[in-house]
Amino acid sequence: MADEQHGLVFPSDDEGRRSTTAVGRAVVADALRPVDPVGAGAAERETAWRGEYLLYFRRLVEAGLDQPEDALSIARAGLASVHERMRVLGDDGEGTLAQWPGGTDGFTQVEVPGTAEPVEELVLPYRGDRLRGDEIRRQVDRWVEAGVVEPSVAQAVGEVLANPAWLRLEGHTVAVIGAASEMGPLQALTRWGARVAAVDLPRSGLWDRVGEAARAGAGTVVAPMALAGESGVPGADLLADVPALEQWLAEQPGTLVLGNYVYADGATNVRVSAAVDELSRRLLASRDDVALAFLATPTDVFGVPSDAVAQATERYETRSRASRTIGRPLRAASGGRLLRRPYAPGSEPGVNDSLVPQQGPNYALAKRLQRWRATVARHEGATVSMNVAPPTRTRSVVKNRALAAAYAGAHRFGVEVFDPATSNVLMAALLVHDLHTDGGPRHEHPWQDEAYAAAHGGLWRAAYAPRSALGLAALLGVGAARG
């Protein structure tokens, strides 16, 4: 998505500059303030935000671990700050998101029916094979044993395998926002026969891919078409069209699932994420049957269960003699930064910090915004599907040389990086599970909701704190990444 200034924008200062750093720092401070005023003050005074933001995004999680109400207060304050600070740029100047005016034209609808018979069983592509039934169960069990996914993934996938009729999502319309996204569920849902409302930019290349997936599937794909548009291409610009999209989606039949799969580079990622959040807020207010769906990034900070802490601790303490021999001088030379133990033994919950500096503070804020909305919506009674997705070789990752190299070497540290085809189907299956089980089991604390059915790729249960091994993984993987 281009980063031209239109529609939803960062606020301008007295000199007309739109500072992403100022907004990110202020939002984090606002989110911390209800439960951690000291941390809020430190965030406000931070002068090296782009280098030090990792500390504060970790603090946002740690500050909410004591009581469920603390996590909820942080989420509410963070959302409120984003909605109060971001602006909508129009012909008459800048206004707030709540004042976003509706356009006079709106959308009509195009419909693309599938031509195939629905796939009536879960089929999981994995390393050149197409796994079914007990093959899927055995593979998920292997992932659980290896610490690649949480044990609750096996439970959720097992329930989908036992109820193949769930796959069609009868009675639902799934709005896939970011329909052409590599990590989105469009292809899986259309193969299973679901009804999808596809939203992405009105660009012919994107809609060629969406239309191809729709026709090759067995469901129905509908898409917005601007009444005043001249391109003849379906689609909508999230940065400008939230009011019209809210009206179009509010009229979709069945239970509406609003799935957030958007991604953009840099500051635009925060803008489109804030736009989807405003769309979510409006739809939750206008309909009483809206479910929300998200994919959480594994490269973030999470509270993790005690058995994950125990497995990671055991792996650290039983690492090979060669690893111990190499690790000692590396830790000494790096001032303790390299190959650190991941948790204090016995932590409950543990705090897994898999933030990646190269992804930057805008990416961290965009993804945290989604987690905050999931926490608040679930507390208010909405069905929410928010699952941690595995590290995946998407185009946005492999175009970053450092990340591509780290992913190529990650297996040496117990982390499995998934192919997009595997991630797509696995995460779509978890979405189906959540929509048929009222969002899955409800837990006492939001961190436990986030940890349920997390497919983190091994980052939570590896022998070393992820960031302390990232550089070495990149060095070991640089040759493979170039290949």
Side-chain angles (χ1 to χ4, degrees):
M1 181 172 290
D3 199 20
E4 66 271 13
Q5 296 300 312
H6 72 285
L8 195 154
V9 296
F10 284 85
S12 58
D13 61 19
D14 293 339
E15 298 180 5
R17 296 173 299 189
R18 301 186 188 277
S19 171
T20 62
T21 293
V23 170
R25 186 171 51 209
V27 169
V28 170
D30 288 344
L32 283 170
R33 191 166 288 109
V35 299
D36 183 6
V38 173
E44 286 181 315
R45 294 187 298 272
E46 181 58 66
T47 58
W49 185 250
R50 291 188 177 274
E52 300 298 328
Y53 77 93
L54 303 170
L55 300 174
Y56 300 99
F57 277 88
R58 178 181 177 120
R59 195 158 184 164
L60 284 167
V61 173
E62 291 177 325
L65 288 179
D66 188 28
Q67 298 293 332
E69 294 77 11
D70 292 341
L72 184 62
S73 294
I74 290 169
R76 283 177 168 159
L79 290 172
S81 183
V82 169
H83 283 261
E84 289 167 4
R85 293 178 184 280
M86 298 300 284
R87 291 291 181 265
V88 177
L89 183 62
D91 296 336
D92 300 326
E94 293 182 12
T96 66
L97 271 62
Q99 297 168 334
W100 202 334
T104 57
D105 297 314
F107 293 112
T108 186
Q109 180 169 294
V110 297
E111 182 172 314
V112 183
T115 59
E117 291 297 315
V119 176
E120 296 180 340
E121 65 173 333
L122 183 60
V123 181
L124 182 66
Y126 185 64
R127 294 183 175 177
D129 291 328
R130 295 175 63 80
L131 309 181
R132 291 173 167 83
D134 286 342
E135 295 173 325
I136 295 176
R137 291 185 179 90
R138 287 191 291 270
Q139 180 54 55
V140 175
D141 287 344
R142 285 192 287 270
W143 282 332
V144 170
E145 183 178 0
V148 171
V149 303
E150 291 304 286
S152 43
V153 171
Q155 177 186 347
V157 171
E159 290 184 30
V160 174
L161 287 169
N163 296 276
W166 284 3
L167 295 173
R168 190 163 189 152
L169 289 176
E170 197 74 39
H172 295 75
T173 294
V174 183
V176 179
I177 313 297
S181 166
E182 273 192 280
M183 287 296 291
L186 177 71
Q187 289 190 342
L189 295 179
T190 54
R191 283 197 297 266
W192 297 335
R195 187 177 194 277
V196 174
V199 178
D200 214 313
L201 285 167
R203 294 177 180 169
S204 57
L206 297 178
W207 288 98
D208 287 345
R209 298 205 302 271
V210 172
E212 182 180 352
R215 288 184 292 272
T220 299
V221 173
V222 295
M225 174 78 81
L227 288 168
E230 299 178 357
S231 67
V233 177
D237 181 354
L238 281 167
L239 297 180
D241 294 334
V242 162
L245 276 174
E246 189 271 331
Q247 183 178 4
W248 178 67
L249 289 170
E251 297 171 352
Q252 295 300 318
T255 298
L256 179 65
V257 183
L258 189 68
N260 184 347
Y261 304 99
V262 298
Y263 173 78
D265 290 331
T268 309
N269 202 19
V270 178
R271 293 167 64 199
V272 295
S273 294
V276 179
D277 194 70
E278 174 64 10
L279 180 61
S280 304
R281 188 192 66 77
R282 292 181 178 214
L283 285 166
L284 286 166
S286 65
R287 291 182 57 151
D288 61 5
D289 64 343
V290 174
L292 301 182
F294 308 90
L295 293 181
T297 177
T299 53
D300 204 338
V301 183
F302 294 95
V304 303
S306 58
D307 62 306
V309 173
Q311 185 175 22
T313 300
E314 180 184 12
R315 288 179 168 179
Y316 180 83
E317 293 176 349
T318 60
R319 64 198 186 281
S320 69
R321 179 176 297 179
S323 296
R324 292 171 183 268
T325 301
I326 295 170
R328 289 190 189 99
L330 285 174
R331 281 195 300 278
S334 65
R337 290 190 300 272
L338 290 178
L339 299 182
R340 292 182 289 105
R341 69 163 60 242
Y343 309 103
S347 300
E348 187 174 1
V351 176
N352 178 268
D353 183 351
S354 294
L355 285 164
V356 176
Q358 290 87 342
Q359 291 181 308
N362 289 318
Y363 180 81
L365 179 59
K367 298 306 292 185
R368 196 60 62 89
L369 179 61
Q370 297 172 16
R371 290 172 61 185
W372 287 340
R373 178 57 64 190
T375 293
V376 171
R378 186 182 286 112
H379 177 78
E380 294 177 350
T383 295
V384 175
S385 173
M386 200 219 68
N387 300 113
V388 178
T392 304
R393 297 180 187 88
T394 59
R395 287 186 295 271
S396 64
V397 168
V398 298
K399 73 180 182 182
N400 182 307
R401 291 183 180 179
L403 283 177
Y407 273 23
H411 66 281
R412 297 175 182 267
F413 295 92
V415 175
E416 180 169 344
V417 179
F418 284 47
D419 290 327
T422 305
S423 289
N424 291 158
V425 175
L426 177 63
M427 303 317 292
L430 294 177
L431 169 64
V432 165
H433 168 269
D434 293 345
L435 294 178
H436 284 284
T437 58
D438 191 29
R442 302 210 173 205
H443 301 88
E444 180 181 357
H445 198 292
W447 79 258
Q448 295 168 309
D449 290 323
E450 293 183 336
Y452 179 79
H456 45 74
L459 289 167
W460 293 10
R461 293 171 177 260
Y464 301 107
R467 206 156 54 246
S468 76
L470 180 68
L472 294 176
L475 287 174
L476 294 169
V478 67
R482 286 173 178 168

